Amino acid sequence: MKRKYLLPLFLIIQIISLQALFYFPEFVENYYSNGFYPILAKLSRTLLGWIPFSFGDIAYSLLILWFIFWLIKNRKENWKIKTLAIINVVSIAYFLFHFLWAFNYYRLPLFSKMNIKTEYTQEQLVAFTQKLITKTNQTHLQITKDTALKVVSKYTSEDIYKIASKGYDELSKKYNYFSYQQPSIKTSLFSYPLTYMGFGGYLNPFTNEAQVNNLPPSYHLPAVTCHEMAHQMGFASESECNFIGFLAATHNDDLFFKYAGYTYALRYCLANIGSKDEKKFKELLKSIHPGILKNFKESEDFWMAHRSFIDKGFEIFYDNFLKMNQQKDGMDSYSKFVDLMVNYFAKRNL
C-alpha cells in the first residue's frame, strides 16, 4: 500500500475501533479516565496553566490562518491531492482529540458511578423545584438584602477562576473522584464569536484549558466556570458536567457561587416543568423573588440580542457532534442533568 493512504486508513480504523470501545466502559473508566488521563491532564495544566492568556485559542487562530494560506497557495493543485492532504490532517487531529481527552466519552456514566436513578415523576420534579426555589430565594436575599434587586457580581473573571476551586475542595471530601488540581481556567480570546455561537465556554481538548466566555451577565459565570472544570477532570457528558458544576458551585462557601449554582439549576427545572404543565410553571414563578426573575430576564435579553444564523448553525453542528460522541440526546443532553439532580437529592437535603 502507498504511504500516502496510511493516514486515511488509520482514520477509518479509529472510527471503527471507537464503535467497539462503546461496549467496554469499565475498561475506559479504569485504564483511561482514572489511569492515564489524570496524569496527562495534570501535566497539560501544569505546563500551560500559569500562562495568563489562552494558549489554545492562539494556537487555533494560527492554525486557521495557516489553513487559509494553504488553501490560497494550493488553489491550483489537483483536488484529489488537496482532499487527501486534508484527510491526513483530520486523521491526526482525530487521534489527538481522543488520546488527549475524548476517550472520556466512553467511560462509565456518572449515574452508575454514583448509584443514582435516572427516572423521576413530575411530582418529584415539582417538589424538588420548590425546594430549589426556597434555597435560591434565601441566597438571593442574603446577597441583595432586597427581594426586588437583581444580583450583580462583585467579582472579576479572574476572581471567579481563583475561588471556583474551593467548591471542588469541599465536594471532593464527599467524592474523591471530584478532586480538582492544577487550575488552568482562562477567559477565551474568542468570547465575542462564542457569544454569537451561543456558548458560555468550552474545554480545549488539546491543551486542557477551560475557556470561559466572560461577556454574558456575570451572575452565572461561576456556574459556567465550574461546568468547564468538570470537563477538565475527564467528564465528557454535558449533563454530567452540569450536575457536577452545580454541586461544586453550591458546595462553595461563597454566596455568589451558591446563587449561580441554584439559579443555573432552577432555570432548567422550570423549563422542564413549563414544557409539560404551564399552569404549575406560572404558579411556581410567583414564588420566586422578583430580583431573581430580573437576573433571568437579563440573561434572556443578552442571548436574544446575539441570536443569529451563526448560533443556529453551530447548534445543529454541535447537536450532531454530541450524538456522534455517545450523547444520543444531542443538545438536549444539557437539560438531562435534571434527572441526576432530582434523584440525587431524593434522599438528601438540598
Side-chain angles (χ1 to χ4, degrees), residues 34-178:
N34 291 312
F36 173 74
Y37 174 75
I39 299 171
L40 181 64
K42 186 175 181 180
L43 176 62
S44 296
R45 295 203 294 270
T46 300
L47 290 174
L48 301 175
W50 63 273
I51 301 176
F53 54 84
S54 172
F55 178 86
D57 281 356
I58 291 178
Y60 278 159
S61 299
L62 292 175
L63 284 171
I64 292 171
L65 290 174
W66 172 83
F67 182 65
I68 293 172
F69 174 77
W70 181 86
L71 286 176
I72 295 173
K73 182 181 178 182
N74 295 279
R75 62 186 181 278
K76 296 181 180 179
E77 189 67 77
N78 183 283
W79 68 270
K80 291 183 179 180
I81 295 176
K82 287 193 291 186
T83 302
L84 188 61
I86 292 173
I87 292 175
N88 287 341
V89 173
V90 170
S91 181
I92 295 171
Y94 194 70
F95 170 76
L96 291 175
F97 172 61
H98 286 91
F99 179 77
L100 296 174
W101 180 77
F103 279 134
N104 287 306
Y105 278 118
Y106 301 87
R107 69 186 301 181
L108 282 172
L110 190 62
F111 71 83
S112 175
K113 193 180 183 75
M114 298 183 71
N115 195 26
I116 302 174
K117 295 179 180 179
T118 57
E119 301 295 331
Y120 61 87
T121 64
Q122 184 72 357
E123 290 73 22
Q124 288 176 309
L125 173 59
V126 170
F128 172 74
T129 303
Q130 289 171 330
K131 293 178 182 179
L132 192 55
I133 289 172
T134 299
K135 296 292 289 188
T136 309
N137 281 343
Q138 290 172 349
T139 308
H140 171 261
L141 191 58
Q142 284 180 279
I143 295 173
T144 63
K145 313 299 182 185
D146 188 334
T147 60
L149 294 178
K150 71 177 184 180
V151 167
V152 178
S153 177
K154 65 179 182 180
Y155 297 128
T156 64
S157 301
E158 287 68 27
D159 292 332
I160 290 171
Y161 304 157
K162 292 176 182 177
I163 299 171
S165 296
K166 295 180 180 179
Y168 277 103
D169 290 341
E170 288 300 312
L171 183 59
S172 65
K173 292 177 182 178
K174 293 182 180 179
Y175 309 102
N176 59 11
Y177 43 81
F178 291 146

Side-chain angles (χ1 to χ4, degrees), residues 114-327:
M114 298 183 71
N115 195 26
I116 302 174
K117 295 179 180 179
T118 57
E119 301 295 331
Y120 61 87
T121 64
Q122 184 72 357
E123 290 73 22
Q124 288 176 309
L125 173 59
V126 170
F128 172 74
T129 303
Q130 289 171 330
K131 293 178 182 179
L132 192 55
I133 289 172
T134 299
K135 296 292 289 188
T136 309
N137 281 343
Q138 290 172 349
T139 308
H140 171 261
L141 191 58
Q142 284 180 279
I143 295 173
T144 63
K145 313 299 182 185
D146 188 334
T147 60
L149 294 178
K150 71 177 184 180
V151 167
V152 178
S153 177
K154 65 179 182 180
Y155 297 128
T156 64
S157 301
E158 287 68 27
D159 292 332
I160 290 171
Y161 304 157
K162 292 176 182 177
I163 299 171
S165 296
K166 295 180 180 179
Y168 277 103
D169 290 341
E170 288 300 312
L171 183 59
S172 65
K173 292 177 182 178
K174 293 182 180 179
Y175 309 102
N176 59 11
Y177 43 81
F178 291 146
S179 176
Y180 181 89
Q181 298 177 335
Q182 295 302 128
S184 182
I185 311 161
K186 303 171 184 181
T187 298
S188 176
L189 301 177
F190 298 148
S191 289
Y192 194 70
L194 281 175
T195 298
Y196 278 96
M197 292 189 298
F199 291 109
Y202 77 98
L203 171 73
N204 188 313
F206 302 102
T207 64
N208 215 266
E209 294 169 296
Q211 311 284 357
V212 179
N213 177 358
N214 70 340
L215 296 182
S218 60
Y219 80 91
H220 75 287
L221 188 60
V224 175
T225 301
C226 289
H227 172 102
E228 299 306 332
M229 292 168 73
H231 277 311
Q232 285 183 300
M233 291 191 300
F235 295 93
S237 164
E238 298 298 343
S239 60
E240 292 178 0
C241 287
N242 272 351
F243 176 63
I244 297 167
F246 164 76
L247 290 179
T250 54
H251 274 74
N252 203 305
D253 290 335
D254 188 273
L255 288 175
F256 287 94
F257 271 77
K258 290 184 182 293
Y259 182 73
Y262 289 139
T263 51
Y264 192 72
L266 182 56
R267 292 186 68 175
Y268 276 102
C269 289
L270 289 171
N272 279 19
I273 292 171
S275 66
K276 299 175 182 177
D277 189 341
E278 188 174 354
K279 182 180 179 181
K280 176 57 70 174
F281 169 75
K282 291 180 178 179
E283 179 185 320
L284 290 170
L285 281 183
K286 294 177 182 179
S287 65
I288 300 173
H289 287 172
I292 299 172
L293 297 180
K294 288 178 182 178
N295 276 134
F296 287 170
K297 184 67 164 56
E298 180 184 23
S299 289
E300 183 181 352
D301 289 346
F302 174 85
W303 290 110
M304 286 302 296
H306 295 89
R307 290 283 289 179
S308 69
F309 72 93
I310 298 175
D311 85 297
K312 292 178 182 178
F314 269 90
E315 184 174 322
I316 294 171
F317 167 78
Y318 197 56
D319 180 71
N320 285 286
F321 173 82
L322 292 175
K323 289 176 180 177
M324 288 189 297
N325 285 282
Q326 310 309 315
Q327 298 186 65

